[in-house]
Each structure stands twice: as structure tokens, then as C-alpha cells.
Amino acid sequence: MKNKLLFFTYAVVNTTLFLPYFLYLLIGNHYPTFLNGWFPLIVFYVCNLTGTFLVRSFGKKVSTRELLLFFLLLASVGSFLGILVSINALWLDLSAILLGLSCSILLPLYLTIQYHERRLFHRSFSGKDYGFAFLTILLFMPLIILLVKVNLPELAFGLYGIAFLVSFFLLRNLPHYDHGKMPNTSFDSRFFLLFLVLAGMTFAVKSLRVLADNHFSLILMTLLAILLIGVFYLIQHSSFKFSLPRYVYLFSFLQGMLTNFFILFGTFYLFSLQKGVYLYSFIYLAYGLGIISSLFLGTKVLNLFPKVEKVTLCGISLLVGTGLIFIPVCIPVGGFLIGFFSNLNSSLLNKVAYTKTTGLKDSSLLVKNRWGKLGSIFQQSLLFLLFISFCHFFEIPILSLLETITGKSLASHLTSIVFVLRITGGVILFGISLCYLTTLYFYEKELKTKQAPIN
């Protein structure tokens, strides 16, 4: 990758972590779509979380290089379809599907290419490249959000589509990396079924936030419980081979749970405290700024604590950041810490996944990425199941809970609902923290035995 403009591609690909959420969150309410304008955001969210399982179901015949170019084009098409939203709101839904599938996989694909370049050709970004990428994100993200705010979503989608298209042309001359013989695997029905089940679970959970019918909510909760059982059945009856160090799977899964918990629970908690007006700045903006900052300051922060193992430092910081969710004035600080250290921790685990895999290096980061998505899906399903369980236990109408946590109205049971939210959040955070600290303990113990910390 010798092109001097590749910093632009690096910047664009990293915006897929947070910028599309802003787009569909801000645009959906202005158009007559299903589920009171939430449908595009829900569709994007579902495809973003589960798309990687759909891609895996089609086997491993295609290299990362070809997948990266294909999904950059797909993201470009998805963005351009958003331009047609003023003609028919259905184009926005189709845009969300294509952009969601693309964003679910673009970053690990691009990072894999970077690792290939470093390992095979000893080429990597300079400090100047990262600086230009940082400036690009700082200019690009506010511009996209501003265009949506002034009711010009067509321009926002068009600009984003051009950015993906430019990235495609910058990368189309990538070399064909030699990884030996690609495995000749065919369509894997297990992963396709897993995709369908996980997509059903995620859609059921997200739809619960905006439903106005109590009976329909109960039906979806029943469906969610059945789907959750189906996931465990599929995993239990599938032959699974570890190609990465086991702690990579565990940390990726738990980090997915923590990040999803902070964003999802934080959204509900702010609405219940009548602070929904601060949602964008307290949660999403703080999280996005944390991610951007970690890209350029992460290494310097790690060097400030030379005696602390890096993965341990990131893990403890993630737990602290998540715990701040219960202190309203500290939620932006927590969002920044979550964004900063989740991205930093992912970088550390990506390096381990690539260098220590016993399988094909070309797909090592995709394997790790799938476990992070799985953790997110599991957490949100658990969150809603506990919500409903506590509502029944404390005799709170489910509809009142849903209306409160989505900011529709303030129920007469507001005090009890806030109490239920705190109990649910506390139980989940305690469980995740216990699992994370236990994993860190055994990880540190293994490191002392092998004397091989992550550098």
C-alpha cells in the first residue's frame, strides 16, 4: 500500500464504528417508516451485528482482499441509495441493510490487509499518515452530522457514498497476498442458521423498544427466549475448533457485552432520568470521540503505565468506564473511556489473533470480530429478559417500562421503573465484571508461566 492517500481510507473505514448510527438515528424520525421511524436504525443495527455470520456461511473461498473491495462497493451503493429517501422511505430501509452488512465487516477486513502489508512487505503507516487520518475524521464526521441536522440527508449519504467509492479506487491495486492454498469450503448451513437466529433475536429486542402493544411485546419476548435457546443448541451441537488463543475469544466476547451494555443501558437510563436530550452528547458523541482519540493516543497512554500489562489495563479501564453509567454527570466520561479502551483493547487482541492463529491468518481477525458481535447480541438479549422478569416480579406494566426507556412518555410507575433499571444494570454489570476479572486473573497467571506478555 504505497499510495500516499491511504490515510483517507483508514479514516473512512474507522468511521463505520459510529457514524452510520448517527445517520439513521437522526434521519429516521423525519420519514414515515415502520416502527415510528426507528426501523432503518434497527435494520442497520441488526445487519451490523449479524452480517459477519452471514458472510461466514458462504465459506472461505474468497480472500480478505476481494471481500474488502466488494464490501467497500456495497457500502457505497448502500449510501447512494439513501439519497433516494425523499422519493420513498423504503430506500432508506434498503440503504440500512446494505450499509449495515458492510459496516459489520469492513474494519476487520481492512486491519487484516494492514497486517499483511506489515508482515509481507514491511510497510506500515507513518505518524504523518495517522495525523492526516485524524484530521480527516475530525472534518468528515461533523460535516456529515451537520448536513443531516440542516435537513440535507441526501447530501450526507452522497458524501459518504463518494468516500467509500474513493476508498475502493485507492485499494483496487492491492497485491494478491500469498497465504498458501485457500480452503475449498462450501456453503455452511450452520452459520446461516446462526445468522437467521441471531438476526431474529436482535430484531426482536430492538423492536421491543418502540412497540406500543403490550400483547405483541409479550409475544416477541417469548420468541426471544425461544431464539436464545436455539443459539445455545446450535453452538452446543456444532463442532468448534479453536484457531486463536482462548483468552482472545473470551476477552472479545466480554468486551462486546460491556460496550453494548454501556450504549444500550445508558440510553434507557438517560430517558428514565428525563435526560434524553443529552443522549447524543453523553453516549454516542463521547463514545465516538473515545474511539478517534485511541487511534492516535492509545500507545502513548499505555506507555504511561509500563508496569501494568496492557490487556489488563484496558480491561480495568473498561469496567471503570462502564460503572460510571450509574452516575449521570459522569456518563460522558464513561462513554469516552469505553470508546477509547475498547478500541485500544481490540487492537491488542487483533495483533494476538493475527500472529498466534493456528488457522488461516487471512480470516483470523474475522473470527475474533464474530465473538465480539456474539457478546453484544447475548448482552442485549439478557438485558431485556431481565427487564421483563423484574417487571413481572414488581408488578410493573411492561408497556410502561417500554414507554419510559424510549422517551415516549413518563409512566406513573417512574420511581419503580428507575429502580428496576438500576437493579437490572447492577446485576448484569456485576456478572460481566466477575467474568472479566476472573478471565484477567487466569490470563495474568498464564503470562507469568509463559513470560510472554502482549507488546
Side-chain angles (χ1 to χ4, degrees):
M1 292 193 292
K2 296 180 180 180
N3 197 312
K4 293 183 179 180
L5 296 177
L6 284 176
F7 69 85
F8 180 80
T9 301
Y10 180 77
V12 171
V13 170
N14 273 283
T15 63
T16 61
L17 287 173
F18 51 88
L19 187 54
Y21 288 100
F22 276 107
L23 272 174
Y24 293 108
L25 192 64
L26 294 173
I27 291 174
N29 290 327
H30 298 286
Y31 295 93
T33 61
F34 183 50
L35 294 178
N36 303 316
W38 286 89
F39 190 67
L41 177 63
I42 293 173
V43 168
F44 172 81
Y45 184 86
V46 171
C47 292
N48 186 42
L49 275 186
T50 61
T52 181
F53 297 96
L54 177 63
V55 173
R56 174 61 184 85
S57 68
F58 289 97
K60 301 178 182 177
K61 294 180 181 180
V62 183
S63 69
T64 293
R65 177 189 180 276
E66 278 68 39
L67 282 175
L68 175 61
L69 294 175
F70 172 77
F71 280 104
L72 280 171
L73 276 180
L74 192 67
S76 181
V77 172
S79 298
F80 287 138
L81 287 178
I83 297 175
L84 305 175
V85 63
S86 58
I87 300 175
N88 193 315
L90 288 176
W91 290 112
L92 189 62
D93 302 333
L94 184 56
S95 166
I97 293 173
L98 298 184
L99 203 53
L101 290 173
S102 303
C103 292
S104 75
I105 201 171
L106 272 176
L107 186 57
L109 289 175
Y110 182 75
L111 293 176
T112 300
I113 294 298
Q114 280 197 316
Y115 279 115
H116 288 341
E117 288 282 318
R118 204 172 297 164
R119 178 175 64 92
L120 298 173
F121 305 110
H122 306 289
R123 293 198 290 253
S124 59
F125 277 3
S126 64
K128 184 186 295 186
D129 292 324
Y130 285 115
F132 282 134
F134 180 65
L135 290 175
T136 301
I137 294 176
L138 286 182
L139 292 173
F140 188 72
M141 187 177 74
L143 178 59
I144 293 288
I145 295 175
L146 177 63
L147 288 173
V148 177
K149 284 281 191 179
V150 298
N151 203 26
L152 291 173
E154 297 88 355
L155 285 180
F157 274 114
L159 187 61
Y160 211 18
I162 291 172
F164 283 119
L165 198 57
V166 169
S167 299
F168 169 80
F169 283 111
L170 288 174
L171 295 177
R172 63 177 177 168
N173 293 323
L174 283 171
H176 292 270
Y177 305 101
D178 182 17
H179 308 292
K181 186 178 180 180
M182 293 289 291
N184 190 27
T185 54
S186 57
F187 181 77
D188 192 331
S189 59
R190 295 171 305 169
F191 272 92
F192 186 70
L193 284 173
L194 188 60
F195 160 73
L196 292 177
V197 171
L198 293 176
M201 284 175 54
T202 309
F203 187 81
V205 168
K206 297 296 286 185
S207 299
L208 276 171
R209 295 174 55 183
V210 293
L211 290 174
D213 186 87
N214 202 24
H215 296 295
F216 194 24
S217 301
L218 286 174
I219 292 172
L220 272 184
M221 284 306 305
T222 305
L223 175 63
L224 176 60
I226 294 172
L227 291 174
L228 195 58
I229 294 171
V231 169
F232 285 115
Y233 178 83
L234 282 172
I235 294 175
Q236 184 178 0
H237 289 79
S238 297
S239 55
F240 181 76
K241 180 181 178 182
F242 286 101
S243 59
L244 309 177
R246 298 197 177 193
Y247 63 83
V248 173
Y249 295 100
L250 292 171
F251 283 133
S252 300
F253 184 85
L254 292 169
Q255 179 180 311
M257 288 189 72
L258 274 175
T259 304
N260 184 270
F261 171 79
F262 182 87
I263 294 175
L264 195 59
F265 179 81
T267 299
F268 299 156
Y269 194 51
L270 280 177
F271 276 128
S272 71
L273 296 177
Q274 306 175 49
K275 298 181 182 292
V277 66
Y278 300 111
L279 175 62
Y280 302 121
S281 57
F282 273 32
I283 301 288
Y284 296 101
L285 185 58
Y287 176 71
L289 289 175
I291 291 175
I292 295 171
S293 301
S294 73
L295 295 173
F296 313 100
L297 300 175
T299 303
K300 294 181 180 179
V301 171
L302 290 177
N303 291 336
L304 294 175
F305 305 91
K307 294 183 180 181
V308 183
E309 209 289 317
K310 295 176 181 178
V311 170
T312 302
L313 176 63
C314 289
I316 297 299
S317 301
L318 283 171
L319 293 175
V320 171
T322 308
L324 293 177
I325 197 72
F326 295 102
I327 308 174
V329 295
C330 295
I331 289 178
V333 178
F336 183 86
L337 289 176
I338 291 291
F340 190 96
F341 286 100
S342 64
N343 197 61
L344 191 56
N345 196 44
S346 290
S347 299
L348 296 172
L349 296 176
N350 284 338
K351 183 177 180 180
V352 176
Y354 186 84
T355 57
K356 296 189 178 182
T357 179
T358 57
L360 193 69
K361 288 186 181 294
D362 204 45
S363 59
S364 57
L365 267 63
L366 291 177
V367 173
K368 173 213 165 265
N369 177 258
R370 280 194 289 272
W371 278 79
K373 303 286 189 185
L374 198 61
S376 296
I377 295 170
F378 179 77
Q379 190 285 137
Q380 68 176 16
S381 302
L382 181 62
L383 180 65
F384 272 89
L385 286 173
L386 285 179
F387 273 160
I388 304 305
S389 299
F390 282 128
C391 276
H392 281 293
F393 183 80
F394 291 105
E395 299 181 345
I396 298 173
I398 296 175
L399 187 57
S400 297
L401 170 74
L402 296 176
E403 289 180 342
T404 301
I405 64 177
T406 55
K408 287 183 178 180
S409 63
L410 295 177
S412 56
H413 307 78
L414 182 59
T415 303
S416 299
I417 289 173
V418 172
F419 178 69
V420 165
L421 282 171
R422 287 172 177 164
I423 289 182
T424 305
V427 168
I428 291 181
L429 183 57
F430 176 79
I432 298 175
S433 300
L434 186 62
C435 293
Y436 211 122
L437 292 173
T438 302
T439 306
L440 282 174
Y441 170 79
F442 285 106
Y443 166 71
E444 291 270 7
K445 189 175 181 180
E446 182 180 336
L447 283 185
K448 290 178 181 178
T449 303
K450 295 183 177 180
Q451 292 297 312
I454 297 176
N455 296 313

